[in-house]
Amino acid sequence: MPSLWAAPMTQITSEIVAEHGFTPEEYERVLKAMGREPNLTELGIFSVMWSEHCSYKSSRIHLKKLPTEGPQVICGPGENAGVVDIGDGQAAIFKMESHNHPSYIEPYQGAATGVGGILRDVFTMGARPIANMNALRFGRPDHPKMKHLIAGVVHGIGGYGNCVGVPTVGGEVNFHKAYDGNILVNAMTVGIADTDKIFYSAASGVGNPIVYVGSKTGRDGIHGATMASADFGEDSEEKRPTVQVGDPFTEKLLIEACLELMSSDAIVAIQDMGAAGLTSSSVEMASKGGVGIELIMDDVPQRETGMTPYEMMLSESQERMLMVLKPGREAFAEAIFRKWELDFAVIGHVTDTGRMVLKWQGDVVADIPLAPLADEAPLYDRPHVPTPKPAALTDVPESVDPAADLLKLVGTPDLASRRWIWEQYDHMVGADTTQRPGGDAAVVRVHGSGKGLAITTDCTPRYCFADPVEGGKQAIAEAWRNLSAVGATPLAVTNCLNFANPQRPEIMGQIVGCLEGMSEACRALDFPIVSGNVSLYNESKATGGGSAILPTPAIGAIGLLKDYSKSATIAFKGTGDIILAVGERSGHLGQSLWLRELHGREEGPAPEVDLMMERRTGAFIRSGICTGAITACHDVSDGGLAVAIAEMAMASGIGAIIDQPQPFGIAGSFFGEDQGLYVVTICDTCLADFLVAADKAGLVADPIGRTIKDRIIFELEEGDFCVSLADLKAAHEAFFPELMGEDAALA
């Protein structure tokens, strides 16, 4: 039965206008654009296109400040994904997007369809997907809903990615009470295409056929974009019908069919049906091409009976694409999609009217000017207040036993092993993954070449909450470091900007501040942002939930290795190597995990980021990896120097003795989260030359110890403190299996 609210002749009331997310002022703009009162189908189309999720009406004005160009950039923001040149006539195409609200309501399908959607964004442009990543944020591990949410999200990501045959090669996971009522699920895909076979979405050619391919349209996901543009109230469970349902096996067929058709000359334009489904895909294609569009709704493949135009236009059923073909190529294209057992239907044509016209059962059921839908959506410069700087730390505690502190830290939720998660993902399918999850960045071979792409996701929300500007800078710099630490030249950035309600000035201040910091870092590092996504209203009024999430501008980034065999890993390579800290150290404990996890204090300023020093240090590290002087490398981040060393040791089974004097006390020297700092190992014979090279580069390189057998020893003036690798590994590996219980057996 069709929904009563979807009946085409429904009378428009103020209640219906409000249910569609319009303010009174916005509805007046709709009336002005139409020159009359819209019918329900037209109102629904305006509602999704003018939603926060589709129009970015609160963030567009600030997104324009981000740097998006560079010599490597082929296509920046505005298309389905960003495109950068990787040489030899090849391009990397990549993007990150959110599926936060759906994943909280229905974690398995929400996460699964998030993966499916980002895959389509990439292969829509002609790329074969080669890798997936994700960035996940959960609430307190002991929250009553969290085990269910973790299990559903992880199984959803694995269930979709594994079936579609694209490796999930890494990601990140954080826990904080701020995500109790609104988890974050951000998905990233990277693909490879030939630079002369990249496809875009602008429709052209009056009379050209508009073709629907993929799965049939159902009633799942209706108003998904609108739901993702509001915070959660007490009724979040009632929003399950707005969550899409995915089918990875159909997605695999769709990938192959699209790539086969793309090898011909039949396609004029192509767009996936993501948020807002047939509405957004058709509006975006027509508006980008400056043309009109006419659709015959009776011809849309439907899997349910009695569907109305409203439902068909707003459905977010998965695994669907919209194409404009060259005239006369319909039969050729149809044969390909029928071979792959997919639906194919000509549902309309391109016009020169500049309008969207929908016909159903012989009648015109919608006639909308396209310019207001796409280019004249509301744009708000919302009031914002800067985040006050945190007070300096006072009464700073000291560590009395760094080995004991380290043992506790490596088992905490934010630092514990993610093995339970990534072993549920097929990270080796395709046989091109050369660095698996667990390091600073994944490395995937560019098939048929010696090149490799390094891929990472990162963000430190607690820094962004304390100081949005510095936190935004740090998120970009951390991604830069992760790529440099494996030897890759950083190329470009995608992002997923997750924030709470922008109508609150303090939240809007976080958005503005983070974007300011990100922009400054990208310019300083020549690290342009070529694609991205904004997800706002991530807060909850639901019982047991928190309020606003921490500001979380998740960063995805890629880098290029001309020779993937020369990439570095975090694992120590043998005993007797010299361990050095490369970069400036200050012992910064503000907002550190050591202070939070061991002393219960979320206090102090975020660490400062010296972007010029980041640039010099990254170049030096990449050079050392390329020449072979550096045998292992890991950037210092969460947990500080001691945790970085422990992770290198656990990855290799080789220990370390740290015997350098500690200039910032035990806590600051070992657990301070100083930025722009790397831990590297080199052999004895390289030390003199390495130190000379560092000095010439204007960098500090401190020998701090050596690799030894199976333990970590802190040899200090206060005495020797020791922890075995066996004990470290046991603590490090225990968190997820103990938390998930029976679900751990599914890994």
Side-chain angles (χ1 to χ4, degrees), residues 218-562:
R219 291 192 173 96
D220 52 318
I222 293 174
H223 273 300
T226 308
M227 176 268 291
S229 303
D231 55 19
F232 284 135
E234 301 288 346
D235 61 344
S236 62
E237 291 298 316
E238 298 174 13
K239 295 181 178 179
R240 285 181 183 272
T242 63
V243 178
Q244 311 92 327
V245 177
D247 180 353
F249 298 103
T250 298
E251 182 100 340
K252 173 62 174 173
L253 299 177
L254 190 59
I255 291 173
E256 299 304 330
C258 287
L259 291 178
E260 182 175 341
L261 184 60
M262 286 168 170
S263 67
S264 73
D265 64 349
I267 298 174
V268 174
I270 182 170
Q271 175 78 37
D272 84 293
M273 295 191 212
L278 187 53
T279 289
S280 63
S281 57
S282 57
V283 169
E284 289 172 10
M285 291 178 78
S287 61
K288 286 177 183 176
V291 296
I293 192 168
E294 182 175 305
L295 301 180
I296 309 301
M297 303 309 295
D298 311 75
D299 295 335
V300 173
Q302 301 161 50
R303 69 166 181 260
E304 299 183 48
T305 59
M307 291 191 72
T308 65
Y310 180 104
E311 292 172 314
M312 286 184 268
M313 291 303 292
L314 272 62
S315 167
E316 294 185 7
S317 294
Q318 297 291 285
E319 294 85 41
R320 304 179 301 158
M321 311 284 276
L322 198 65
M323 298 181 183
V324 176
L325 298 182
K326 291 182 178 178
R329 302 293 275 167
E330 298 94 325
F332 171 78
E334 181 173 7
I336 291 173
F337 283 91
R338 297 297 183 195
K339 180 184 73 174
W340 290 100
E341 301 180 348
L342 296 166
D343 276 280
F344 177 99
V346 178
I347 65 168
H349 63 275
V350 177
T351 71
D352 61 359
T353 65
R355 303 180 73 85
M356 168 184 274
V357 176
L358 308 181
K359 294 183 177 179
W360 183 55
Q361 298 178 355
D363 295 324
V364 173
V365 293
D367 187 350
I368 306 174
L370 283 162
L373 276 179
D375 303 326
E376 298 172 24
L379 178 63
Y380 296 122
D381 186 1
R382 296 195 185 278
H384 59 275
V385 296
T387 301
K389 295 279 188 182
L393 280 178
T394 58
D395 188 27
V396 182
E398 180 56 287
S399 173
V400 296
D401 185 340
D405 287 358
L406 178 60
L407 186 62
K408 292 175 184 175
L409 269 181
V410 298
T412 56
D414 276 5
L415 290 173
S417 169
R418 273 63 178 133
R419 184 184 304 277
W420 178 86
I421 293 176
W422 58 257
E423 283 191 344
Q424 296 182 59
Y425 304 153
D426 188 342
H427 45 272
M428 296 303 294
V429 64
D432 285 325
T433 307
T434 65
Q435 278 208 41
R436 307 181 185 189
D440 286 312
V443 178
V444 179
R445 178 172 62 110
V446 177
H447 198 74
S449 77
K451 295 181 297 191
L453 283 181
I455 310 166
T456 187
T457 59
D458 223 303
C459 179
T460 312
R462 63 185 187 277
Y463 295 168
C464 296
F465 182 74
D467 187 334
V469 176
E470 210 64 41
K473 286 163 57 175
Q474 192 275 340
I476 296 292
E478 174 69 11
W480 166 276
R481 256 177 259 141
N482 289 341
L483 299 173
S484 296
V486 299
T489 301
L491 286 179
V493 170
T494 184
N495 60 61
C496 202
L497 306 176
N498 307 274
F499 294 92
N501 188 336
Q503 296 176 55
R504 295 166 55 188
E506 69 275 19
I507 301 300
M508 199 66 220
Q510 294 173 352
I511 298 170
V512 173
C514 283
L515 287 170
E516 178 185 333
M518 290 167 57
S519 179
E520 183 181 345
C522 288
R523 293 182 196 281
L525 299 172
D526 291 331
F527 203 24
I529 295 176
V530 297
S531 61
N533 170 243
V534 179
S535 174
L536 304 182
Y537 295 96
N538 288 291
E539 56 184 85
S540 173
K541 300 179 180 68
T543 302
S547 181
I549 64 163
L550 299 182
T552 311
I555 301 301
I558 65 168
L560 180 65
L561 287 149
K562 292 184 178 179

Side-chain angles (χ1 to χ4, degrees), residues 36-57:
R36 59 174 170 81
E37 185 177 88
N39 62 35
L40 187 65
T41 300
E42 293 165 337
L43 185 74
I45 289 170
F46 267 100
S47 78
V48 292
M49 291 307 299
W50 284 12
S51 69
E52 191 75 63
H53 191 75
C54 291
S55 73
Y56 294 173
K57 57 190 173 185

Side-chain angles (χ1 to χ4, degrees), residues 618-640:
F620 178 76
I621 292 294
R622 295 193 300 272
S623 175
I625 291 170
C626 184
T627 62
I630 292 174
T631 56
C633 183
H634 193 11
D635 82 305
V636 174
S637 55
D638 295 347

Side-chain angles (χ1 to χ4, degrees), residues 78-145:
E79 275 293 338
N80 288 289
V83 186
V84 294
D85 196 327
I86 60 170
D88 307 311
Q90 293 179 306
I93 299 180
F94 68 110
K95 190 180 182 184
M96 176 187 274
E97 279 202 342
S98 63
H99 231 220
N100 303 332
H101 287 62
S103 298
Y104 181 80
I105 296 166
E106 180 55 69
Y108 182 92
Q109 289 295 347
T113 52
V115 173
I118 197 64
L119 281 164
R120 288 193 298 281
D121 279 339
V122 168
F123 75 74
T124 294
M125 298 194 70
R128 178 169 291 280
I130 63 166
N132 290 330
M133 268 208 172
N134 51 73
L136 312 177
R137 317 287 171 189
F138 296 110
R140 290 168 293 177
D142 59 356
H143 186 279
K145 290 192 69 169

